[in-house]
């Protein structure tokens, strides 16, 4: 028996502890937003957060995720609706085929949580593990910058409200 | 017109004086029962195959094309809604089911009427038999950058305009006023004189009784209210929150999972399978020998995959396992020489007397170029969920050719076409790959062996090693230059022709031309790869014209510009790209700038690339793109497609190389078939020209010119002329950047 905490919910599962987390999320839990792309941590479409850190779920055995907080694309909405990164992705019309975008969004969210004002070099470093065959990179870059501004404005608004 | 029968449904009411009209009113009770299923309630009317009007005035555009990121669902709906004067906020779309009633017959009919150029590559179906016009009626293919130019221009727009016309007529009748006093705007019909207005839906039932006009007047660009605007795409919201369902996301009760391995050497069969090694593995349900592949079915994909890896499979040998990539290039060269020696050259295009002009030329320039095989590598590996039940085969997948896939599956399983039901999902990248049904047939055959639904997922390695590849090729050029350096003859021979025919043609004014090719078949399966033959020929021709400019001692932009005097549309596009790139402005050390122009699928694209050479590595820093597709229906979508085509083409030019080793594809995943990533992606600027010429495509034309623009920029930076792709095969680390010697 393995107990997983995914998007705040607890799941008790009977499975081979060597199974990659990706397949557990997709097949056992039924969350389809996390994708399979390469199986060797080369493309990033399977990106989820483990205690807030982006990881490649296709090579992460499920036992390594036990007792930790797993967040998937379905778990990043805030109470008010879309995460600012998701909203920025809509505003910039980032996705094309869309298959890689869950992973892109998860990498971008992790970047902005660690670094609220990333430079182009920071974006390159954080996002180069995520391949997009449709070539949405320029829009992803714009989307991250737009989301960073939105999050900064929201934080300011909160400060004002609290102050 | 006779009574509607189900068979007559697609063709009746379609042709009128060579124009195309889909004047078919389908109402509840219509015998076209598959269509009836799309009518949600008894109150709704379906005006024709492309538009549904609901009682709440919602207009649903029914789109016979697959969404693979090109925005086609949105753009086609815009075209219909604009002509209809619908309220965009109340427009939705629905992808047409894979039924013959929804075939992409705009294309076939347009072809029959001479309205559109029928893309030659569609003449061959996936297994190569000839499509007659009648067979073309059964198409619902997405490819060839033709959704907007064909379905959009002669399907959606006409349907929208015709629907608007009958709604106006019905309103005129209801209000007892002349139709000429009515106008439509944002889903309302308005009669100014009596200050009346009412929503379309009020007149739907009456309008559905009226014959649709054969040739409704279409709007001129100054009347567009939706076309040409940047509306948000329908599919984007679901693609940012993980809810968009791709083929791989199909889920059915009791579903099992399959992993498959086909013979690594194309065309060889399974000799034996020994499953003793997997007997004790948990969750394994079945091993299926498909003849040329072996599949393992298990409770989970991971279990199936692990078992497959452990399975001992022997494949037959047929001689192909001796083939190396170098053998293929040698064969090409030999066959090219042989064609010339034997007088078997196949002419693509000839004008003047190129051979005589060459013989008498003062200066002759020669070059030979090579390109490798390419894999599509869409992010979503091939997959299909199949379920045989109640005598039918039900399929869930992502395909560019749903009707063709259903037909192929019916053929493979010896089922009636009516007993194959295909549900198309979002495509996690298509690029031409998802026009080939191999993975769907495999899934159906596996499903035929088991009583439950099976989801077949190809590993990335399987996807890369069993693609349908862009051909490898060699192209040789000879050109004659006069004393001013202007070309007087252009002779080009290449190998392996597919489509479109005009891919190797050049826009430049050169009096004597001879373009020909040799056939040289290999055992490597061929497939449509974004822009098809344009992807190689633009690299060849636009590299060589750059070499001619250099030989003539002229600026490569100015040289092209001068040769395009009689092709003003090309010249405008070229000039715009050069102007936006500040062509004459100086660049930093170790930087270079290159230009190229190419027309494909009715759209002219010129691109300028700026590269920086850092420790021998080429980094594209900036790409400037000018595009004339006649009219950009959705400008932001056009820009997105140019960005996409540029990154796709740059990836191939810099990195992509599928090579044959011992008869099989040597590469298997993104570690040995690398992709352009965020840190290497240039800034991209796109500039659109709406010339008003015939509308062209957007999905592919961004790709062809970028490879030559790139190598031309590398030449500008380093003096090294790269004549074989990909760029990464070449060592640029010892280039003396000062001297810019010609390599």
């Amino acid at each position: 028996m393995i107990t997983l905490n995914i998007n705040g919910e607890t799941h008790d599962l009977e499975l081979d502890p060597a199974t990659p987390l990706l397949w557990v999320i997709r097949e056992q839990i039924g969350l389809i937003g996390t994708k399979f792309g390469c199986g060797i941590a080369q493309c990033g479409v399977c990106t989820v957060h483990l205690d807030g850190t982006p990881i490649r779920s296709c090579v992460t055995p499920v036992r390594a995720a036990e007792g930790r907080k797993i967040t998937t694309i379905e778990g990043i909405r805030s109470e008010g609706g879309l995460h600012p990164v998701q909203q920025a992705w809509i505003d910039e019309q980032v996705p094309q085929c869309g298959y890689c975008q869950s992973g892109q969004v998860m990498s971008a969210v992790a970047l902005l949580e660690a670094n609220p004002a990333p430079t182009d070099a920071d974006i390159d470093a954080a996002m180069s593990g995520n391949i997009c065959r449709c070539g949405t990179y320029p829009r992803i870059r714009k989307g991250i910058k737009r989301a960073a501004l939105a999050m900064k404005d929201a934080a300011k608004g909160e400060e004002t409200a609290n102050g | 017109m006779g009574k509607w029968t189900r068979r007559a449904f697609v063709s009746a009411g379609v042709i009128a004086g060579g124009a195309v009209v889909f004047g078919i009113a389908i109402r509840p009770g219509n015998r076209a029962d598959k269509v009836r299923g799309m009518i949600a309630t008894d109150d709704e009317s379906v005006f024709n195959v492309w538009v549904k009007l609901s009682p709440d005035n919602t207009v649903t555009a029914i789109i016979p094309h697959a969404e693979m990121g090109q925005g086609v669902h949105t753009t086609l709906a815009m075209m219909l809604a604009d002509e209809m004067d619908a309220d965009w906020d109340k427009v939705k779309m629905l992808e047409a089911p894979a039924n013959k009633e929804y075939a992409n017959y705009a294309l076939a009919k347009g072809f029959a009427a001479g309205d559109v150029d029928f893309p030659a590559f569609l003449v061959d179906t996936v297994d190569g038999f000839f499509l007659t016009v009648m067979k073309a009626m059964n198409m619902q293919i997405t490819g060839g950058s033709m959704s907007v130019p064909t379905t959009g221009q002669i399907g959606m727009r006409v349907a929208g305009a015709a629907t608007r016309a009958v709604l106006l007529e019905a309103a005129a009748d209801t209000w007892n006023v002349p139709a000429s006093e009515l106008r439509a705007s944002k889903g309302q019909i308005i009669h100014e004189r009596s200050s009346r207005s009412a929503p379309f839906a009020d007149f739907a039932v009456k309008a559905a009784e009226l014959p649709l006009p054969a040739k409704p007047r279409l709007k001129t660009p100054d009347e567009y209210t939706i076309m040409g605007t940047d509306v948000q795409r329908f599919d984007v919201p679901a693609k940012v929150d993980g809810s968009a369902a791709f083929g791989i996301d199909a889920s059915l009760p009791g579903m099992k999972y399959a992993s498959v391995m086909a013979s690594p050497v194309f065309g060889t069969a399974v000799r034996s399978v020994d499953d003793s090694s997997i007997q004790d593995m948990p969750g394994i349900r079945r091993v299926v020998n498909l003849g040329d592949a072996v599949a393992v079915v298990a409770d989970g994909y991971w279990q199936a995959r692990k078992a497959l890896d452990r399975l001992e499979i022997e494949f037959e040998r047929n001689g192909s396992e001796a083939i190396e990539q170098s053998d293929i290039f040698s064969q090409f060269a030999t066959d090219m020489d042989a064609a010339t020696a034997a007088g078997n050259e196949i002419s693509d295009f000839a004008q003047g007397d190129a051979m005589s002009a060459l013989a008498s030329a003062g200066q002759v320039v020669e070059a030979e170029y090579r390109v490798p095989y390419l894999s599509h590598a869409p992010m979503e590996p091939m997959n299909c969920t199949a379920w045989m039940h109640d005598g039918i085969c039900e399929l869930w997948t992502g395909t560019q050719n749903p009707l063709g896939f259903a037909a192929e599956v019916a053929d493979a399983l010896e089922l009636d076409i009516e007993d194959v039901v295909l549900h198309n999902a979002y495509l996690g990248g298509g690029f031409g790959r998802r026009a080939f049904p191999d993975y769907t047939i495999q899934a159906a055959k596996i499903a035929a062996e088991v009583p439950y639904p099976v989801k077949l997922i190809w590993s990335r390695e399987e996807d890369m090693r069993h693609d349908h590849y862009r051909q490898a090729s060699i192209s040789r050029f000879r050109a004659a230059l006069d004393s001013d350096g202007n070309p007087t003859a252009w002779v080009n021979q290449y190998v392996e022709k597919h489509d479109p025919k005009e891919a190797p043609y050049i826009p430049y004014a050169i009096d004597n031309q001879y373009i020909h090719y040799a056939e040289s078949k290999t055992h490597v399966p061929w497939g449509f790869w974004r822009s098809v033959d344009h992807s190689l020929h633009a690299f060849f021709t636009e590299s060589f014209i750059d070499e001619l400019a250099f030989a003539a001692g002229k600026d490569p932009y100015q040289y092209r510009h001068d040769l395009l005097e009689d092709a003003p549309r090309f010249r405008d596009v070229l000039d715009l790209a050069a102007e936006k790139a500040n062509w004459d402005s100086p660049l930093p050390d170790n930087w270079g700038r290159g230009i190229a122009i190419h027309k494909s699928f009715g759209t002219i694209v010129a691109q300028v690339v700026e590269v920086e050479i850092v420790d021998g590595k080429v980094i594209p820093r900036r790409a400037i793109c000018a595009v004339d597709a006649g009219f950009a229906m959705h400008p932001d979508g056009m820009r997105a497609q140019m960005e996409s085509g540029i990154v796709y083409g740059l990836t191939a030019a810099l990195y992509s190389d599928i090579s044959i080793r011992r008869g099989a594809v040597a590469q298997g995943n993104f570690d040995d078939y690398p992709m352009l990533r965020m840190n290497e992606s240039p800034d991209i600027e796109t500039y659109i020209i709406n010339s008003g010429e015939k509308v062209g495509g957007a999905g592919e034309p961004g790709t062809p010119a970028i490879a030559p623009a790139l190598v031309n920029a590398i030449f500008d930076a380093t003096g090294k002329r790269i004549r074989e792709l990909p760029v990464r095969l070449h060592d640029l680390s010892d280039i003396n950047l000062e001297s810019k010697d010609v390599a």
Side-chain angles (χ1 to χ4, degrees):
Chain A
M1 173 87 77
I2 282 186
T3 302
L4 295 180
N5 179 328
I6 303 179
N7 300 334
E9 284 182 29
T10 301
H11 302 267
D12 295 323
L13 302 160
E14 289 290 347
L15 42 75
D16 177 355
T19 308
L21 179 60
L22 168 68
W23 300 108
V24 178
I25 290 170
R26 287 184 58 83
E27 294 176 4
Q28 263 79 42
I29 312 299
L31 295 173
I32 59 162
T34 307
K35 302 302 190 197
F36 166 61
C38 70
I40 59 168
Q42 283 283 314
C43 77
V45 303
C46 67
T47 303
V48 299
H49 295 175
L50 210 52
D51 292 335
T53 303
I55 56 121
R56 309 302 181 217
S57 64
C58 73
V59 294
T60 305
V62 66
R63 65 169 167 265
E66 193 168 19
R68 303 171 70 178
K69 204 177 134 204
I70 302 159
T71 311
T72 71
I73 184 73
E74 291 88 353
I76 59 160
R77 270 176 178 268
S78 59
E79 279 172 25
L82 292 176
H83 188 282
V85 168
Q86 293 173 310
Q87 185 57 52
W89 253 232
I90 292 174
D91 293 340
E92 294 291 347
Q93 295 280 288
V94 172
Q96 288 188 29
C97 93
Y99 193 78
C100 75
Q101 296 298 342
S102 294
Q104 304 281 3
V105 168
M106 294 308 282
S107 289
V109 167
L111 165 64
L112 290 174
E113 276 168 11
N115 178 356
T119 63
D120 280 331
D122 296 335
I123 292 172
D124 285 347
M127 301 303 295
S128 290
N130 292 77
I131 296 172
C132 173
R133 280 296 268 159
C134 299
T136 63
Y137 302 123
R139 289 175 188 241
I140 290 172
R141 188 182 298 280
K142 286 184 199 161
I144 290 172
K145 290 177 178 176
R146 181 188 276 260
L149 285 177
M151 289 165 79
K152 192 175 150 199
D153 288 348
K156 262 190 198 161
E158 263 174 42
E159 269 173 36
T160 313
N162 295 339
Chain B
M1 289 180 211
K3 270 173 81 173
W4 301 123
T5 66
R6 209 166 127 193
R7 287 292 161 209
F9 174 76
V10 289
S11 54
V14 174
I15 288 187
V20 185
V21 167
F22 306 96
I24 304 163
I26 309 158
R27 293 171 298 281
N30 188 281
R31 292 177 59 201
D33 54 349
K34 286 182 181 165
V35 178
R36 193 175 58 217
M38 302 185 69
I39 302 171
T41 73
D42 284 348
D43 295 337
E44 292 179 330
S45 304
V46 174
F47 275 96
N48 57 51
V49 290
W50 277 300
V51 57
K52 179 170 93 170
L53 181 55
S54 302
D56 68 355
N57 219 30
T58 299
V59 171
T60 304
I62 299 168
I63 311 284
H65 286 288
E67 181 62 74
M68 47 188 174
Q70 79 282 42
V72 65
H73 284 173
T74 310
T75 308
L76 291 184
M78 290 170 75
M79 296 172 82
L80 181 137
D82 200 338
E83 291 291 353
M84 196 174 161
D85 280 319
D87 177 0
W88 180 251
D89 292 337
K90 301 198 81 171
V91 174
K92 299 193 297 189
M93 64 69 53
L94 187 65
E95 183 171 332
N99 292 335
K100 281 181 277 192
E101 285 82 352
Y102 279 89
N104 178 12
Y105 44 89
L107 178 142
K109 282 297 176 185
F111 170 59
D115 289 344
V116 292
D117 300 323
F118 192 59
F121 76 81
L122 285 170
V123 168
D124 289 315
T125 58
V126 285
D127 63 354
F129 60 81
F130 187 74
L131 271 177
T132 62
V133 174
M134 286 312 290
K135 277 187 175 169
M137 294 281 290
N138 287 342
M139 291 194 301
Q140 192 176 324
I141 293 168
T142 305
S145 296
M146 68 192 181
S147 304
V148 166
T150 60
T151 304
Q153 285 289 82
I154 61 177
M156 309 303 295
R157 289 187 63 189
V158 172
T163 305
R164 175 183 177 279
V166 289
L167 285 166
L168 287 173
E169 200 182 326
D173 186 60
T174 304
W175 289 342
N176 199 20
V177 298
S180 58
E181 290 182 4
L182 297 174
R183 65 184 180 89
S185 175
K186 293 193 173 179
Q188 303 286 319
I189 291 174
I190 298 155
H191 187 238
E192 311 263 1
R193 284 182 56 181
S194 61
S195 302
R196 271 184 289 191
S197 75
F200 284 173
D202 286 7
F203 310 102
V205 173
K206 182 172 278 186
E209 301 294 336
L210 300 169
L212 278 88
K215 282 186 169 179
R217 189 187 79 86
L218 299 184
K219 290 182 175 180
T220 52
D222 57 301
E223 296 172 290
Y224 297 169
T225 57
I226 301 171
M227 288 185 277
T229 66
D230 282 338
V231 303
Q232 296 209 327
R233 275 175 35 208
F234 291 137
D235 55 327
V236 165
K239 289 177 174 177
V240 306
D241 67 7
S243 64
F246 296 82
I248 203 169
D249 300 322
S251 184
L252 295 163
M255 182 174 75
K256 309 299 177 198
Y257 298 83
S259 185
V260 71
M261 181 182 183
S263 171
V265 178
F266 305 114
T268 56
V270 176
R271 178 186 289 166
S272 65
V273 190
D274 179 357
D275 61 3
S276 56
S277 58
I278 66 165
Q279 292 300 329
D280 60 338
M281 294 181 75
I284 305 302
R285 296 276 169 172
R286 190 77 177 255
V287 174
V288 181
N289 184 340
L290 295 165
D292 59 355
V294 177
V296 175
V297 182
D299 291 345
Y301 174 75
W302 182 244
Q303 292 169 320
R305 177 75 194 279
K306 272 198 313 180
L308 184 72
D309 288 347
R310 207 191 277 182
L311 209 55
E312 282 168 33
I313 310 168
E314 255 194 279
F315 295 98
E316 301 283 357
R317 298 168 68 85
N318 68 355
S320 292
E321 56 280 343
I323 298 171
E324 298 290 315
Q325 185 62 42
S326 56
D327 299 331
I328 291 172
F329 279 121
S330 298
Q331 175 194 314
F332 287 166
T334 304
D335 288 345
M336 292 169 85
D337 292 340
T340 299
N344 284 341
E345 293 170 347
I346 307 166
S347 178
D348 250 350
F349 181 76
Q351 71 176 23
D353 186 349
M355 302 315 280
S356 299
L358 265 181
S360 61
Q363 188 182 3
V364 173
V365 181
E366 297 185 330
E368 179 177 308
Y369 303 88
R370 287 184 178 195
V371 292
Y373 289 110
L374 296 176
S375 176
H376 300 80
M379 293 315 297
E380 180 191 14
M382 296 305 106
N383 65 82
C384 177
T385 299
W387 185 22
M388 287 288 285
H389 64 96
D390 308 313
I392 68 164
C393 179
E394 216 169 342
L395 303 161
W396 290 260
T397 193
T399 165
Q400 294 174 245
N401 182 9
L403 287 161
F405 276 35
E408 295 277 345
V409 167
D411 192 45
L413 269 58
E414 297 185 352
L415 292 171
D416 191 307
I417 181 80
E418 306 287 329
D419 293 329
V420 178
V421 179
L422 188 145
H423 308 272
N424 206 11
Y426 282 131
L427 280 60
F431 314 120
R433 175 60 181 94
R434 286 188 156 90
F436 296 90
D438 41 0
Y439 54 101
T440 307
I441 294 170
Q442 278 184 349
K445 285 181 170 176
I446 296 165
E449 301 283 319
V450 296
Y452 37 75
V454 178
K455 182 189 290 188
L456 171 69
I457 305 173
W458 282 19
S459 65
R460 174 57 60 188
E461 289 76 10
E462 193 70 8
D463 188 277
M464 200 165 282
R465 290 173 183 153
H466 289 285
D467 200 346
H468 297 254
Y469 303 88
R470 201 290 304 274
Q471 71 265 38
S473 180
I474 295 176
S475 187
R476 296 168 175 166
F477 290 86
R478 281 179 295 160
L481 302 185
D482 66 17
S483 55
D484 294 326
N486 292 318
T488 55
W490 173 280
V491 177
N492 176 206
Q493 182 191 28
Y494 64 94
V495 72
E496 275 259 47
K497 182 176 188 68
H498 291 277
D499 295 296
K501 179 177 173 59
E502 69 276 11
Y505 295 1
I506 50 171
Y508 304 113
I510 301 177
D511 289 340
N512 305 293
Q513 296 186 33
Y514 178 37
I515 302 170
H516 60 104
Y517 66 96
E519 288 183 341
S520 188
K521 295 297 169 208
T522 71
H523 77 308
V524 181
W526 174 84
F528 318 116
W529 187 95
R530 197 173 194 168
S531 82
V532 204
D533 278 9
H534 290 288
S535 73
L536 47 150
H537 286 293
F539 167 67
F540 298 148
T541 58
E542 283 295 290
S543 293
F544 190 60
I545 199 77
D546 226 62
E547 298 214 44
L548 298 188
F550 183 78
K554 293 184 181 173
D555 174 83
Y557 155 60
Q558 195 62 46
Y559 194 70
R560 287 176 174 82
H561 173 92
D562 293 345
L563 289 170
L564 291 172
E565 193 174 352
D566 299 328
R569 193 177 165 206
F570 276 88
R571 192 149 84 164
D572 288 349
V573 179
L574 184 81
D575 288 350
L576 181 63
E579 177 204 323
K580 295 296 184 184
N582 294 312
W583 179 259
D584 291 323
S585 65
L587 285 170
D589 290 347
N590 302 345
W591 283 56
R593 186 184 278 137
I595 192 166
I597 184 167
H598 191 77
K599 180 181 180 183
S600 59
F601 309 101
T603 296
I604 301 171
V605 171
Q607 287 157 340
V608 174
V609 173
E610 292 175 2
V611 297
E612 184 180 6
I613 314 295
V614 182
D615 300 329
K617 188 174 161 60
V618 176
I619 303 178
R621 293 294 189 196
R622 184 172 175 231
I624 295 90
C625 178
V627 53
D628 176 5
F631 185 85
M633 293 294 161
H634 188 209
D636 191 55
M638 176 69 73
R639 283 189 289 274
Q641 284 310 299
M642 292 300 116
E643 292 159 11
S644 179
I646 286 168
V647 172
Y648 203 78
L650 279 177
T651 302
L654 285 167
Y655 298 126
S656 303
D657 179 19
I658 290 290
S659 48
I660 303 302
R661 196 181 301 152
R662 293 194 286 279
V665 168
Q667 291 73 23
N669 208 318
F670 297 125
D671 51 350
D672 51 16
Y673 193 73
M675 296 289 134
L676 195 83
R677 292 169 183 270
M678 175 65 91
N679 60 330
E680 302 150 317
S681 176
D683 293 333
I684 300 173
E685 300 162 34
T686 298
Y687 301 93
I688 293 168
I689 294 175
N690 285 329
S691 65
E693 298 287 337
K694 195 168 135 187
V695 171
E700 296 169 276
T703 297
I706 201 70
L710 176 77
V711 297
N712 295 341
I714 294 169
F715 179 75
D716 184 50
T718 67
K720 184 175 171 68
R721 172 58 61 181
I722 288 177
R723 299 194 182 92
E724 181 174 8
L725 294 180
V727 170
R728 75 173 172 134
L729 297 176
H730 303 271
D731 183 5
L732 296 170
S733 60
D734 60 348
I735 296 293
N736 179 349
L737 294 172
E738 300 299 311
S739 69
K740 295 199 175 183
D741 291 334
V742 180

